[in-house]
Amino acid sequence: MNPVRRRRMWFVVALVAASALSMTLIAFALQRNVSYLYTPAEVLGGAAGEAVASGQARFRLGGMVAGDSFSRAHGSMEARFRVTDGDAELPVRYTGLLPDLFREHQAVVATGRMDGGEFIAEQVLARHDETYVPKEVADKMGLAHDRHGVTTPADTGASQ
């Protein structure tokens, strides 16, 4: 083989190897930063996986803040509440300032990890207007509503 062609072939092989290595490193970095959204029923039922239930994996918990579940100790930044999807409720503990629109019976998405039977939230996001529910939460809540025969204002408005 001609030395120029051999050098060119090794250059192409090295370029392909470097590209494959960089794509692999990018894929691993992106995979570590992914956090999946689960409902309380998926977490408590085991559908979310062992890493989620054991507290090894960071994930997003979505649902509605259960009624009469919010409490905060006087003079403390630690808030406790329960998130429900209609099938199950999961206790949540969060230390910090809650969003202005956070309240009971409203959609919430919290990011964090499990600790025993309690979800320790690092971040809490609340809905931003009267009609907004995050799409992922709405889809999963809709499935729970269908299973339990719950009608929503959107269902009654659509049938008129």
Side-chain angles (χ1 to χ4, degrees), residues 43-127:
V43 173
L44 296 173
E50 179 59 34
V52 167
S54 68
Q56 295 172 350
R58 183 174 183 253
F59 67 99
R60 293 180 299 153
L61 176 68
M64 304 294 273
V65 179
D68 298 325
S69 69
F70 180 78
S71 67
R72 185 183 300 245
H74 183 69
S76 171
M77 293 294 289
E78 183 177 279
R80 292 178 181 268
F81 54 94
R82 291 187 318 272
V83 173
T84 183
D85 62 356
D87 288 331
E89 287 188 2
L90 191 62
V92 177
R93 183 175 67 204
Y94 175 69
T95 302
L97 294 174
L98 289 166
D100 290 339
L101 297 174
F102 178 89
R103 59 185 61 95
E104 294 174 347
H105 304 290
Q106 299 297 334
V108 66
V109 176
T111 304
R113 299 176 191 273
M114 289 298 293
D115 183 19
E118 186 176 43
F119 183 77
I120 308 302
E122 301 164 1
Q123 180 182 30
V124 174
L125 303 173
R127 67 178 183 86

Side-chain angles (χ1 to χ4, degrees), residues 1-83:
M1 185 182 281
N2 185 343
V4 174
R5 284 188 180 183
R6 180 175 291 152
R7 196 175 321 130
R8 193 177 301 152
M9 181 186 72
W10 282 113
F11 176 74
V12 169
V13 168
L15 185 64
V16 168
S19 297
L21 178 65
S22 65
M23 293 304 290
T24 302
L25 292 175
I26 289 170
F28 279 124
L30 290 175
Q31 187 177 20
R32 269 201 338 232
N33 291 329
V34 170
S35 61
Y36 296 100
L37 179 101
Y38 297 110
T39 62
E42 291 172 329
V43 173
L44 296 173
E50 179 59 34
V52 167
S54 68
Q56 295 172 350
R58 183 174 183 253
F59 67 99
R60 293 180 299 153
L61 176 68
M64 304 294 273
V65 179
D68 298 325
S69 69
F70 180 78
S71 67
R72 185 183 300 245
H74 183 69
S76 171
M77 293 294 289
E78 183 177 279
R80 292 178 181 268
F81 54 94
R82 291 187 318 272
V83 173

